[in-house]
Amino acid sequence: MRQTRWWTSILLVLVMAVLAACGGAADTAVEDSSQNQALPPTEAPDSAQVDETTEDAAPAGEPTEELGVQPSDDEAAPTVPPGEFKEAPKVAEMVSAGNLPAVAERLPKKPMVLEPIESVGKYGGTWNTALKGTSDTAWLVRTIGYENLVRWRPDVKNFTAEEVIPNIADSVDMNDEGSEYTFHLREGMKWSDGKPFTADDIMFWYEDVFSNEELTPAVPSWLTAAGKPVTVQRVDDLTVVFRFAGPNGLFLSRLATPPGDAPTAFPRHYMQQFHKKYNPQVEQQAKKAQMEGWTDLFASKVSPWENPEKPTLNAWKLTKAVGDATQQLTAERNPYYWKVDTEGNQLPYIDTISYRVTDDVEVMVLQALNGEIDMMDRHINALANKPVFFDNQEKGNYHFTNEIPASMNQMMFALNLTVRDKNKRQVFNDKNFRIGLSHAINRQEIIDAAYQSQGEPFQGGPRPESPFFNEQLAKQYTEYDVALANQFLDKVLPEKNDQGMRLGPDGKPFVFQVETAAAPTASQEGAALELMQGYFKAVGIDMRVKPLERSLFYERKDSNQPDATTWSGDGGLDVILEPRWYFPFSTESNFAIPWAIWFNNPKADGAIKPPAAAKKQMELYRQLMDAPSAEERADLMKQILQIAQEEFWVMGLALPTEGYGIVKNNFHNVPENLVQAYLSLTPGQTNPPQYWIEGE
């Protein structure tokens, strides 16, 4: 059965611990955590709706090739005759000067044809946007870094395999078992330096990076099946086969998420000079560069954000390293970019992207209000800013985009069910205690006070827009009822002291501490926690709040030290791929990280055998990973969610409402409605190379 698919690109998550360090700082809580999570052993966000499309028309901004199957001759995707290709005036000048080959020679034999979202664009101009400091590489990835073998459709809603489409790969064949995937590459495709992109580049990744224990000491679990790593075979210059020892039903979906960019991240002709297999002098070069070894040098050279000399397949290329930027960073068009519009215009339309660098979000907001930012959502789109942006639309000459968040909760509150203190562990593992705390929370008051009255009381469950929405899971125990809260808490901690505070199993006042990576005096989360302290005290529970610097927060939770933690509610739409809150899936499952470690590797340090309910969920998810059928995967996921509802592992506060972005009125081809998700690197899934600026 033939299916067409694509890879997604985010930083260079290099399938290895040493190279993963090259990736930039996190984009959001979701992005940070996803890069840190361990995936399972056999695999590795209110009312606005994404526009629907008919079966006969490709969604705006996506390739006009038929998706999922190969089209017959009479319904083949539109192509552009080579003689009709056109290029940007600035590039044409370089061709006339003899500095570049003709456009037809720079494009692949079959370039990807994109259907513009609004209209065919015009060349020229600078896209003005911003970075929050030089560590904000995630915005670079989201705007200019999303190009890999497969990717998500521009109108992705549920992050299922059916929403994965081809990109660098022209097409993909998958066998019926879901254990073998044959990628067909685009003939004549080139890196930004004009060198050919072929199967040899993917084989360099497989043979010299993935299979090299110094670079890849641990195989990413999404690249394994039946306990064995994937094998990759070169068939010819344009064909590679990925083979698994057993079914890997989530493989194509994982390729469409940020870590899936690895196989196309290593231009062989450039990177082999930093590999000891090809360069005997590389250790000396590493020492000269004041690095400990050749692997550090290799890692430093593979990041496109810190090494702009590395050839790329992206539409734009940085002119200098992020670390060298002070007030501005610039990306210029790649004249060898391999996509065109329906009239044969080589993309991108926009000449350059200018990223203003500032550590102050308020400065970004003022720039947007003044019309100095053409398109952006990141950092500036806090709920508190929206009224100001709304009132200033005419003066700033911009409009809003509507963004459904992929997340399902403003804040997840996770008691550590594996906490080291045996008394706390006994209490936390009693479901009655969790239910009691949940009923003690006045969620509507928190929503009104901390979240500008935006949202509704909600637990940790898929969003209402998701086909996996489970109303009972989402709404249970959200009623604010102090008497009911006390009833449940009395079942667990019936004794109180003279101050009305409950006593633990050891007879001492029961106190626990919640750790957070958000400063409690300067955030919505902090305001929510302050209110929760009062609610819990009213029912005899003493909760303390401990804000931590982000890296220390991770260090402590990964070593199972916190009593409780807070984090964002990931997994609202991307339910199957991000089930961290539904069962102990990864080291982002903060309610029971040692159980998740056991799921990944029962023999690993820190692993603790989970209870029967969690083990059942793990068994179901392993079946899900193996299932090649979307229907079977969906059924298994619903069973996992049902157990999550019964066990009530974690509690949430509020369902996030739709977000927003700012787009100048002369900045075109940005969809009005889209899903905001890390897994699709929003706005990356909308194909920024087809954005264009009127009047330039």
Side-chain angles (χ1 to χ4, degrees):
M1 173 174 116
R2 166 152 305 182
Q3 297 192 359
T4 50
R5 304 289 188 242
W6 287 343
W7 283 126
T8 67
S9 153
I10 181 171
L11 303 179
L12 292 161
V13 182
L14 307 178
V15 307
M16 64 212 99
V18 61
L19 295 185
C22 285
D27 187 18
T28 61
V30 181
E31 294 186 35
D32 250 351
S33 53
S34 294
Q35 290 187 24
N36 284 284
Q37 77 181 25
L39 297 177
T42 56
E43 61 155 310
D46 183 61
S47 59
Q49 297 292 326
V50 178
D51 290 340
E52 296 289 339
T53 57
T54 67
E55 295 181 357
D56 297 326
E62 76 178 36
T64 52
E65 298 161 321
E66 183 73 15
L67 305 179
V69 296
Q70 292 299 301
S72 60
D73 291 340
D74 60 343
E75 58 182 8
T79 58
V80 181
E84 297 184 15
F85 290 133
K86 295 175 282 290
E87 60 197 353
K90 289 187 177 181
V91 178
E93 291 174 5
M94 297 172 70
V95 174
S96 297
N99 296 323
L100 278 177
V103 60
E105 297 176 31
R106 302 195 309 272
L107 288 167
K109 183 177 180 180
K110 185 182 177 183
M112 174 162 288
V113 181
L114 293 184
E115 180 79 29
I117 287 175
E118 297 175 41
S119 61
V120 169
K122 296 181 180 179
Y123 286 119
T126 296
W127 172 2
N128 294 295
T129 183
L131 294 179
K132 186 178 182 295
T134 55
S135 64
D136 191 17
T137 54
W139 186 235
L140 295 174
V141 180
R142 286 174 173 260
T143 51
I144 65 174
Y146 189 50
E147 302 290 1
N148 294 284
L149 285 174
V150 296
R151 66 183 293 157
W152 298 108
R153 295 168 58 113
D155 65 341
V156 60
K157 296 182 180 71
N158 300 308
F159 298 90
T160 61
E162 294 69 36
E163 296 173 309
V164 178
I165 54 180
N167 194 49
I168 287 174
D170 181 50
S171 63
V172 181
D173 298 329
M174 179 182 73
N175 68 359
D176 292 338
E177 293 75 29
S179 61
E180 183 173 301
Y181 301 83
T182 302
F183 292 87
H184 304 276
L185 308 180
R186 298 178 185 276
E187 182 179 355
M189 189 168 170
K190 297 175 176 63
W191 293 95
S192 58
D193 61 357
K195 300 296 184 182
F197 168 77
T198 70
D200 290 338
D201 295 296
I202 295 176
M203 295 308 297
F204 175 77
W205 161 77
Y206 174 67
E207 295 174 343
D208 298 315
V209 179
F210 178 80
S211 301
N212 184 295
E213 292 186 358
E214 289 185 81
L215 294 176
T216 311
V219 175
S221 51
W222 62 275
L223 286 170
T224 69
K228 297 180 180 180
V230 67
T231 61
V232 183
Q233 176 191 358
R234 180 189 188 279
V235 177
D236 55 41
D237 284 351
L238 303 176
T239 312
V240 291
V241 181
F242 283 60
R243 291 192 179 93
F244 293 91
N248 191 340
L250 291 182
F251 176 60
L252 291 175
S253 295
R254 290 292 180 197
L255 292 186
T257 64
D261 71 339
T264 54
F266 302 87
R268 183 188 192 108
H269 69 281
Y270 178 81
M271 289 304 301
Q272 63 185 9
Q273 66 181 306
F274 308 111
H275 197 293
K276 72 173 186 178
K277 175 179 175 180
Y278 304 94
N279 180 5
Q281 307 302 318
V282 71
E283 288 287 4
Q284 291 88 335
Q285 293 174 357
K287 292 180 181 178
K288 187 176 181 180
Q290 299 182 329
M291 296 182 180
E292 291 187 6
W294 76 272
T295 57
D296 297 315
L297 179 64
F298 189 91
S300 71
K301 295 299 183 179
V302 79
S303 169
W305 320 129
E306 294 302 334
N307 179 24
E309 294 181 1
K310 196 194 86 165
T312 183
L313 297 173
N314 298 332
W316 296 274
K317 191 174 189 294
L318 294 183
T319 60
K320 62 182 176 183
V322 176
D324 295 334
T326 53
Q327 297 180 327
Q328 181 175 313
L329 190 68
T330 301
E332 296 181 346
R333 76 164 66 248
N334 169 12
Y336 289 92
Y337 190 58
W338 39 278
K339 295 181 185 178
V340 299
D341 66 19
T342 50
E343 294 185 3
N345 297 298
Q346 184 189 27
L347 299 172
Y349 295 125
I350 296 174
D351 290 331
T352 60
I353 305 179
S354 176
Y355 300 89
R356 299 184 184 186
V357 181
T358 176
D359 290 317
D360 193 337
V361 173
E362 290 186 8
V363 171
M364 293 184 185
V365 172
L366 288 174
Q367 290 172 344
L369 290 170
N370 291 334
E372 299 171 14
I373 286 180
D374 293 311
M375 182 270 180
M376 191 169 185
D377 59 356
R378 181 171 166 77
H379 299 307
I380 66 173
N381 64 346
L383 285 174
N385 294 334
K386 192 169 185 179
V388 179
F389 278 126
F390 183 84
D391 293 340
N392 193 68
Q393 286 181 86
E394 185 175 352
K395 180 181 178 181
N397 194 31
Y398 57 75
H399 60 275
F400 290 118
T401 57
N402 303 310
E403 300 181 345
I404 301 176
S407 63
M408 48 74 173
N409 216 286
Q410 295 284 13
M411 185 184 83
M412 294 300 294
F413 185 88
L415 297 170
N416 182 1
L417 305 184
T418 63
V419 64
R420 295 177 179 180
D421 185 297
K422 66 179 182 180
N423 291 308
K424 292 175 183 176
R425 187 166 65 247
Q426 176 184 331
V427 173
F428 291 170
N429 275 275
D430 192 321
K431 180 181 173 182
N432 291 306
F433 182 78
R434 303 195 295 273
I435 294 174
L437 287 188
S438 187
H439 279 304
I441 301 171
N442 188 336
R443 288 174 173 79
Q444 190 58 55
E445 185 174 63
I446 290 177
I447 291 168
D448 293 340
Y451 300 107
Q452 289 73 49
S453 299
Q454 300 295 304
E456 62 182 83
F458 210 78
Q459 297 285 14
R463 293 183 63 90
E465 299 91 344
S466 170
F468 294 105
F469 176 62
N470 179 318
E471 185 171 8
Q472 188 172 1
L473 172 60
K475 291 294 187 177
Q476 63 184 352
Y477 318 128
T478 57
E479 177 187 5
Y480 172 54
D481 189 325
V482 174
L484 189 58
N486 278 313
Q487 287 181 29
F488 279 100
L489 293 173
D490 286 345
K491 297 177 182 179
V492 187
L493 300 175
E495 303 298 325
K496 298 180 182 179
N497 63 15
D498 294 342
Q499 288 75 44
M501 303 307 291
R502 296 181 184 274
L503 304 179
D506 57 358
K508 299 178 181 179
F510 189 77
V511 181
F512 73 90
Q513 182 171 267
V514 58
E515 299 184 10
T516 172
T521 59
S523 70
Q524 295 171 323
E525 183 174 307
L529 285 170
E530 186 176 356
L531 288 169
M532 288 172 64
Q533 281 184 292
Y535 304 146
F536 292 165
K537 185 176 181 180
V539 293
I541 299 297
D542 188 353
M543 180 188 80
R544 313 284 174 84
V545 178
K546 183 177 182 179
L548 296 172
E549 185 273 329
R550 199 183 198 92
S551 62
L552 179 58
F553 174 85
Y554 261 93
E555 180 181 329
R556 285 182 54 79
K557 82 180 186 70
D558 289 345
S559 58
N560 198 38
Q561 297 184 60
D563 297 337
T565 56
T566 65
W567 200 250
S568 58
D570 313 301
L573 294 178
D574 44 345
V575 179
I576 289 179
L577 296 181
E578 187 49 276
R580 64 172 73 177
W581 296 119
Y582 308 134
F583 78 98
F585 163 75
S586 73
T587 54
E588 296 303 326
S589 298
N590 292 352
F591 62 96
I593 290 176
W595 295 352
I597 294 174
W598 186 91
F599 176 46
N600 284 274
N601 181 2
K603 297 181 181 180
D605 291 341
I608 295 178
K609 185 177 180 179
K615 286 182 66 177
K616 178 62 176 178
Q617 289 180 304
M618 294 172 182
E619 293 169 6
L620 291 168
Y621 197 78
R622 288 193 176 97
Q623 295 175 37
L624 182 155
M625 292 188 292
D626 291 346
S629 162
E631 293 77 12
E632 187 177 355
R633 290 194 294 269
D635 179 68
L636 290 163
M637 190 69 227
K638 290 176 181 178
Q639 294 181 54
I640 293 170
L641 292 170
Q642 185 58 38
I643 297 175
Q645 179 269 310
E646 295 165 0
E647 296 300 321
F648 189 50
W649 303 120
V650 291
M651 66 186 76
L653 289 184
L655 177 72
T657 58
E658 69 179 41
Y660 66 95
I662 299 298
V663 180
K664 289 288 291 293
N665 293 332
N666 69 335
F667 195 92
H668 298 287
N669 284 346
V670 180
E672 180 180 354
N673 301 301
L674 66 160
V675 165
Q676 171 56 253
Y678 163 66
L679 291 185
S680 60
L681 294 172
T682 307
Q685 79 268 28
T686 68
N687 283 299
Q690 53 90 47
Y691 296 168
W692 67 279
I693 305 173
E694 186 176 359
E696 295 293 337

